Amino acid sequence: PASAPATDWGVRLAAVRRDLADPEKAALPILTISIDAGFASLSSFNRAFKESTGCTPSEWRSTALRDAAAAQN
Protein backbone atom coordinates (compact mmCIF):
# COMPACT_ATOMS: atom_id res chain seq x y z
CA PRO A 1 0.00 0.00 0.00
CA ALA A 2 1.05 3.57 -0.63
CA SER A 3 2.17 5.65 2.31
CA ALA A 4 -0.03 8.53 3.48
CA PRO A 5 2.39 11.22 2.22
CA ALA A 6 2.64 9.51 -1.18
CA THR A 7 -1.16 9.31 -1.40
CA ASP A 8 -1.45 12.98 -0.42
CA TRP A 9 1.01 13.98 -3.17
CA GLY A 10 -0.92 11.86 -5.64
CA VAL A 11 -4.16 13.63 -4.76
CA ARG A 12 -2.46 17.03 -5.04
CA LEU A 13 -0.89 16.17 -8.39
CA ALA A 14 -4.22 14.90 -9.73
CA ALA A 15 -5.82 18.22 -8.78
CA VAL A 16 -3.03 20.13 -10.52
CA ARG A 17 -3.31 18.02 -13.68
CA ARG A 18 -7.06 18.64 -13.74
CA ASP A 19 -6.64 22.39 -13.29
CA LEU A 20 -3.87 22.65 -15.89
CA ALA A 21 -6.16 20.93 -18.40
CA ASP A 22 -9.11 23.23 -17.65
CA PRO A 23 -9.51 25.85 -20.42
CA GLU A 24 -11.24 28.16 -17.92
CA LYS A 25 -8.05 28.21 -15.84
CA ALA A 26 -5.66 28.68 -18.77
CA ALA A 27 -4.74 32.22 -17.68
CA LEU A 28 -4.02 31.14 -14.09
CA PRO A 29 -0.27 30.91 -13.42
CA ILE A 30 1.09 27.44 -12.78
CA LEU A 31 2.58 28.72 -9.52
CA THR A 32 -0.89 29.72 -8.31
CA ILE A 33 -2.33 26.32 -9.23
CA SER A 34 0.50 24.52 -7.43
CA ILE A 35 0.12 26.64 -4.26
CA ASP A 36 -3.67 26.18 -4.32
CA ALA A 37 -3.05 22.40 -4.41
CA GLY A 38 -0.89 22.64 -1.30
CA PHE A 39 2.64 22.61 -2.65
CA ALA A 40 4.90 24.88 -0.59
CA SER A 41 7.57 25.48 -3.20
CA LEU A 42 7.71 25.61 -6.96
CA SER A 43 10.87 23.50 -7.12
CA SER A 44 9.39 20.59 -5.14
CA PHE A 45 6.19 20.83 -7.16
CA ASN A 46 8.03 20.84 -10.51
CA ARG A 47 10.15 17.85 -9.46
CA ALA A 48 7.14 15.84 -8.24
CA PHE A 49 5.10 16.73 -11.32
CA LYS A 50 7.84 15.69 -13.75
CA GLU A 51 8.49 12.45 -11.85
CA SER A 52 4.75 11.69 -11.95
CA THR A 53 3.97 12.61 -15.56
CA GLY A 54 7.28 12.59 -17.42
CA CYS A 55 6.83 16.18 -18.54
CA THR A 56 6.88 19.67 -17.10
CA PRO A 57 3.69 21.37 -15.92
CA SER A 58 3.82 23.80 -18.84
CA GLU A 59 4.22 20.93 -21.34
CA TRP A 60 1.27 19.13 -19.70
CA ARG A 61 -0.88 22.26 -19.86
CA SER A 62 -0.02 22.97 -23.49
CA THR A 63 -0.85 19.43 -24.61
CA ALA A 64 -4.02 19.19 -22.51
CA LEU A 65 -5.39 22.53 -23.71
CA ARG A 66 -4.56 21.72 -27.33
CA ASP A 67 -6.34 18.36 -26.97
CA ALA A 68 -9.36 20.04 -25.34
CA ALA A 69 -9.58 22.56 -28.18
CA ALA A 70 -9.33 19.80 -30.79
CA ALA A 71 -12.10 17.85 -29.06
CA GLN A 72 -14.43 20.85 -29.29
CA ASN A 73 -13.92 21.16 -33.06
Side-chain angles (χ1 to χ4, degrees):
S3 67
T7 301
D8 185 47
W9 278 61
V11 169
R12 291 178 188 189
L13 288 168
V16 169
R17 288 192 305 269
R18 182 195 63 233
D19 287 350
L20 290 175
D22 185 345
E24 292 183 12
K25 296 183 180 182
L28 205 58
I30 291 171
L31 175 61
T32 301
I33 291 172
S34 70
I35 290 171
D36 287 350
F39 288 92
S41 78
L42 189 58
S43 62
S44 65
F45 162 69
N46 282 332
R47 188 171 34 260
F49 193 93
K50 189 156 188 175
E51 287 175 7
S52 171
T53 65
C55 62
T56 67
S58 58
E59 291 169 338
W60 177 273
R61 175 180 255 178
S62 177
T63 300
L65 292 177
R66 184 178 59 242
D67 292 350
Q72 289 183 351
N73 292 332

